[in-house]
């Protein structure tokens, strides 16, 4: 039988025990796999940096409700009381920010008064009488409802603030301030009750004898990995999911604080019982951190996203903080955090005040003195936290070369992102050299109001390169494939939004509205 030269080479190959092979013939492929391993190893560090920074942002917005908001409400009331003496000047009784503060304070007072009619003990025993499987289903339903409430609640509050501060000379197309106010009070009250049911379910899980409910609730976190890891994620979608994880982690810590307060009250504030609760608290916190690390590590691996993207997310959050501290800021800092992370501090603050007031009895002058000193401590903590966050944010903004964007006025924004100017088209049509590519890529990520052309240029520079084996067999088709791939990337990437333009918390498939 006549054999060609290739078949003869195959027949004379050495046996399996002595056969050798050379990995350097496919160097690019194995180098890419090694980089993926290194990226997964970097994810915990970079992710926790973002989580810690975002956690203290939530702490700052949460402490604002207890510390600075009462003082701002008192200043607004003082202005109303002294207005007849000082004379009326101007078209407004109060400034728009003072009106919003008055509305927040009134919502807190009304919702706290309504929460007195909700019996926490009766709710606890009602939940404790249910079966384990039913409680597990209820807890999952509460998590979904909490996300939906957070998504729609900020819209309700924003509608109230704008309706109350809208210029009078404009034609009104709203239903009025009073209906919006009652909608906001109803929302905050319902959301506070929902969080109370969550805390009661978690308290039942802590106090169960066999800890089966707590184990099932913790396993629910690992189910989250299955629902998110195998989906396609882009950089903007991952940014939203990271903000959602920050909010969930902070909310979990507040719920654990409420559970500990209720348990310590039941045991007459015995410090020995705190060590009984410590293993369960540690187990819940550890599972939260482990699930977030595993989820983000595999999402970045499957979608070819580098670990450096978390520093970009942190710079975007820092930009929000720095821009909200300006004199001509167009929104309050707590509102910007709510829009980024879906974290609304009002319902959680109402519940915490309700639990603390029912757990701790304040009687006598000494008790009121201790409460006043505790309030001064909270104010000090809020101020120190704000100073440290502002300093860190300035560092992150400076590293990302975003400080020049802080002084751009609203008129600097383009009227539409769908029709870029001819100068922008000429600027991004023909890149010249690696330096310009890197500069424009960084500008696309960090620009506050960038056009879709810049977003396309950012993404097209991150096209994965072909491996050496593909290059050896298809090198003469490279030019045509690059042109086709560039056209497909242009069609696919033009709908992406810049990171700093995302201000809406969405949960439906991690999509961007």
């Amino acid at each position: 039988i006549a054999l060609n030269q290739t078949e003869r080479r195959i027949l004379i190959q050495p046996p399996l025990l002595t056969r050798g092979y050379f990995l350097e013939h496919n160097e690019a492929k194995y180098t890419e796999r090694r980089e993926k391993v290194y990226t997964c190893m970097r994810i915990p560090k970079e992710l926790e940096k973002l989580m810690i920074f975002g956690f203290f942002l939530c702490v700052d917005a949460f402490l604002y409700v207890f510390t600075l908001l009462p003082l701002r409400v008192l200043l607004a009331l003082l202005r109303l009381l002294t207005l007849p003496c000082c004379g009326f000047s101007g078209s407004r009784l109060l400034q728009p920010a003072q009106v919003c503060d008055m509305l927040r304070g009134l919502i807190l007072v009304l919702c706290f008064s309504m929460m007195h009619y909700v019996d926490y003990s009766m709710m606890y025993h009602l939940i404790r009488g249910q079966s384990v499987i039913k409680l597990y289903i209820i807890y999952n339903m509460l998590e979904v409802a909490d996300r939906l409430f957070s998504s729609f609640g900020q819209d309700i509050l924003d509608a109230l603030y704008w309706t109350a501060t809208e210029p009078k000379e404009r034609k009104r197309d709203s239903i009025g301030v009073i209906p919006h106010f009652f909608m906001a009070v109803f929302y905050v009250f319902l959301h506070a009750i929902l969080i109370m049911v969550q805390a009661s379910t978690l308290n039942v899980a802590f106090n169960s004898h066999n800890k089966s409910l707590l184990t099932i609730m913790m396993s629910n976190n690992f189910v989250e990995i299955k629902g998110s890891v195998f989906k396609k994620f882009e950089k903007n979608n991952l940014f939203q999911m990271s903000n959602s994880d920050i909010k969930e982690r902070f909310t979990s810590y507040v719920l654990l604080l409420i559970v500990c307060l209720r348990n310590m009250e039941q045991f007459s504030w015995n410090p020995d019982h705190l060590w009984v609760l410590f293993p369960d608290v540690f187990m819940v916190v550890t599972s939260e951190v482990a699930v977030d690390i595993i989820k983000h590590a595999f999402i970045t691996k499957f979608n070819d996203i580098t670990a450096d993207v978390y520093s970009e997310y942190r710079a975007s959050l820092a930009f929000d903080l720095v821009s909200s501290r300006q004199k001509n800021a167009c929104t309050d800092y707590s509102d910007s955090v709510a829009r980024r992370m879906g974290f609304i501090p009002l319902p959680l603050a109402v519940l915490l005040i309700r639990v603390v007031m029912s757990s701790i009895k304040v009687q006598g002058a000494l008790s009121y003195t201790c409460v006043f000193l505790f309030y001064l401590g909270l104010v000090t903590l809020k101020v120190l936290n704000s100073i440290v966050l502002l300093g860190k944010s300035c560092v992150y903004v400076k590293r990302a070369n975003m400080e020049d964007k802080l002084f751009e006025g609203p008129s600097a924004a383009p009227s539409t992102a769908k029709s870029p100017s001819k100068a922008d088209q000429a600027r991004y049509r023909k890149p010249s050299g690696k330096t310009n590519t890197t500069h424009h890529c960084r500008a696309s990520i960090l620009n506050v109001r960038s056009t879709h052309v810049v977003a396309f240029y950012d993404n097209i520079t991150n096209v994965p390169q072909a491996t050496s084996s593909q290059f050896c067999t298809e090198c003469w088709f490279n030019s045509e494939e690059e042109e086709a791939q560039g056209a497909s990337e242009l069609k696919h990437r033009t709908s992406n939004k810049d990171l700093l333009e995302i201000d809406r918390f969405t949960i439906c498939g991690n999509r961007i509205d």
Side-chain angles (χ1 to χ4, degrees), residues 200-218:
S200 301
T201 309
L202 189 62
N203 197 3
V204 170
F206 270 55
N207 294 330
S208 59
H209 297 289
N210 53 3
K211 304 296 181 182
S212 59
L213 178 59
L214 184 61
T215 306
I216 294 175
M217 291 169 60
M218 289 176 55

Side-chain angles (χ1 to χ4, degrees), residues 192-203:
I193 292 179
L194 188 143
I195 300 174
M196 176 182 285
V197 177
Q198 276 186 305
S200 301
T201 309
L202 189 62
N203 197 3

Side-chain angles (χ1 to χ4, degrees), residues 47-68:
L47 177 63
E48 288 306 313
K49 285 182 179 179
L50 174 65
M51 288 288 180
I52 292 174
F53 183 73
F55 175 80
F56 282 104
L57 289 179
C58 293
V59 169
D60 194 63
F62 192 59
L63 289 178
Y64 172 83
V65 179
F66 301 100
T67 56
L68 299 186

Side-chain angles (χ1 to χ4, degrees), residues 425-436:
Q425 294 178 359
R427 181 180 180 184
Y428 296 106
R429 186 176 299 159
K430 294 183 180 181
S432 59
K434 184 177 180 181
T435 305
N436 291 334

Side-chain angles (χ1 to χ4, degrees), residues 235 304 306 312 427-445 452-465 482 485-486 489-490 493 496:
K235 188 165 57 176
D304 294 327
T306 62
E312 299 174 10
R427 181 180 180 184
Y428 296 106
R429 186 176 299 159
K430 294 183 180 181
S432 59
K434 184 177 180 181
T435 305
N436 291 334
T437 300
T438 307
H439 175 72
H440 295 325
C441 176
R442 183 182 304 168
S444 170
I445 296 173
H452 291 296
V453 176
V454 186
F456 151 71
Y457 195 79
D458 167 44
N459 289 282
I460 203 171
T461 54
N462 295 325
V463 176
Q465 298 179 355
E482 287 176 358
Q485 189 175 10
E489 286 290 317
L490 174 60
R493 300 293 188 180
N496 282 353

Side-chain angles (χ1 to χ4, degrees), residues 16-83:
L16 294 177
L17 293 179
T18 59
R19 182 177 63 86
Y21 51 88
F22 299 93
L23 298 182
E24 60 266 18
H25 291 169
N26 206 355
E27 179 180 356
K29 176 182 177 181
Y30 290 105
T31 302
E32 180 185 359
R33 299 298 172 85
R34 184 172 61 186
E35 290 299 326
K36 286 186 177 180
V37 175
Y38 292 162
T39 300
C40 290
M41 295 172 62
R42 288 181 57 195
I43 288 299
K45 179 182 177 182
E46 298 297 330
L47 177 63
E48 288 306 313
K49 285 182 179 179
L50 174 65
M51 288 288 180
I52 292 174
F53 183 73
F55 175 80
F56 282 104
L57 289 179
C58 293
V59 169
D60 194 63
F62 192 59
L63 289 178
Y64 172 83
V65 179
F66 301 100
T67 56
L68 299 186
L69 182 60
L71 298 179
R72 291 176 63 94
V73 171
L74 288 177
L75 290 177
L77 290 175
L78 185 63
R79 174 181 171 83
L80 284 178
L81 294 176
T82 57
L83 193 60

Side-chain angles (χ1 to χ4, degrees), residues 30-311:
Y30 290 105
T31 302
E32 180 185 359
R33 299 298 172 85
R34 184 172 61 186
E35 290 299 326
K36 286 186 177 180
V37 175
Y38 292 162
T39 300
C40 290
M41 295 172 62
R42 288 181 57 195
I43 288 299
K45 179 182 177 182
E46 298 297 330
L47 177 63
E48 288 306 313
K49 285 182 179 179
L50 174 65
M51 288 288 180
I52 292 174
F53 183 73
F55 175 80
F56 282 104
L57 289 179
C58 293
V59 169
D60 194 63
F62 192 59
L63 289 178
Y64 172 83
V65 179
F66 301 100
T67 56
L68 299 186
L69 182 60
L71 298 179
R72 291 176 63 94
V73 171
L74 288 177
L75 290 177
L77 290 175
L78 185 63
R79 174 181 171 83
L80 284 178
L81 294 176
T82 57
L83 193 60
C85 301
C86 300
F88 179 75
S89 60
S91 58
R92 292 180 180 269
L93 294 176
L94 294 174
Q95 296 298 323
Q98 293 177 326
V99 174
C100 295
D101 293 333
M102 292 285 292
L103 291 174
R104 288 193 189 98
L106 194 56
I107 289 173
L108 280 175
V109 172
L110 289 178
C111 291
F112 175 71
S113 302
M114 295 166 63
M115 287 294 291
H116 274 289
Y117 296 97
V118 181
D119 193 352
Y120 187 92
S121 301
M122 184 186 68
M123 184 180 298
Y124 172 80
H125 289 289
L126 182 64
I127 294 174
R128 190 172 185 178
Q130 307 299 323
S131 61
V132 175
I133 300 301
K134 187 182 293 186
L135 288 179
Y136 173 69
I137 297 174
I138 291 174
Y139 192 78
N140 288 336
M141 293 172 60
L142 291 174
E143 283 190 345
V144 175
D146 179 60
R147 296 187 180 187
L148 295 178
F149 271 60
S150 299
S151 179
F152 190 60
Q154 187 60 37
D155 293 336
I156 296 176
L157 296 176
D158 285 341
L160 171 64
Y161 300 152
W162 172 241
T163 306
T165 59
E166 189 177 5
K168 303 297 183 182
E169 61 271 9
R170 294 188 179 182
K171 181 181 179 180
R172 289 299 182 98
D173 56 353
S174 61
I175 60 177
V177 179
I178 296 178
H180 277 288
F181 177 75
F182 282 113
M183 287 172 58
V185 172
F186 185 66
Y187 154 71
V188 174
F189 178 66
L190 285 184
H191 200 174
I193 292 179
L194 188 143
I195 300 174
M196 176 182 285
V197 177
Q198 276 186 305
S200 301
T201 309
L202 189 62
N203 197 3
V204 170
F206 270 55
N207 294 330
S208 59
H209 297 289
N210 53 3
K211 304 296 181 182
S212 59
L213 178 59
L214 184 61
T215 306
I216 294 175
M217 291 169 60
M218 289 176 55
S219 66
N220 189 37
N221 294 329
F222 291 91
V223 177
E224 183 183 353
I225 298 177
K226 178 183 177 181
S228 58
V229 164
F230 301 106
K231 291 182 180 179
K232 180 175 178 56
F233 276 84
E234 302 234 357
K235 188 165 57 176
N236 296 340
N237 304 107
L238 185 60
F239 182 44
Q240 283 190 310
M241 194 184 70
S242 302
N243 292 332
S244 176
D245 292 338
I246 293 171
K247 175 254 180 183
E248 290 179 1
R249 186 178 293 191
F250 179 80
T251 306
S252 299
Y253 292 164
V254 177
L255 290 179
L256 290 175
L257 175 62
I258 293 174
V259 169
C260 292
L261 288 175
R262 296 297 300 177
N263 278 274
M264 293 297 291
E265 179 198 2
Q266 296 298 324
F267 287 88
S268 302
W269 299 97
N270 186 9
D272 295 334
H273 185 67
L274 190 61
W275 295 105
V276 178
L277 297 173
F278 180 77
D280 296 335
V281 173
F282 179 77
M283 190 165 49
V284 172
V285 173
T286 304
S287 66
E288 287 277 348
V289 175
V291 166
D292 289 340
I293 290 176
I294 295 173
K295 181 174 63 175
H296 284 265
F298 281 97
I299 285 176
T300 53
K301 176 184 182 298
F302 292 151
N303 295 276
D304 294 327
I305 300 175
T306 62
D308 297 330
V309 72
Y310 292 102
S311 62

Side-chain angles (χ1 to χ4, degrees), residues 356-357 360-364 366-369 371:
V356 171
M357 293 292 290
I360 301 176
K361 305 299 181 182
V362 180
Q363 296 177 352
L366 182 60
S367 299
Y368 285 103
T369 304
V371 170

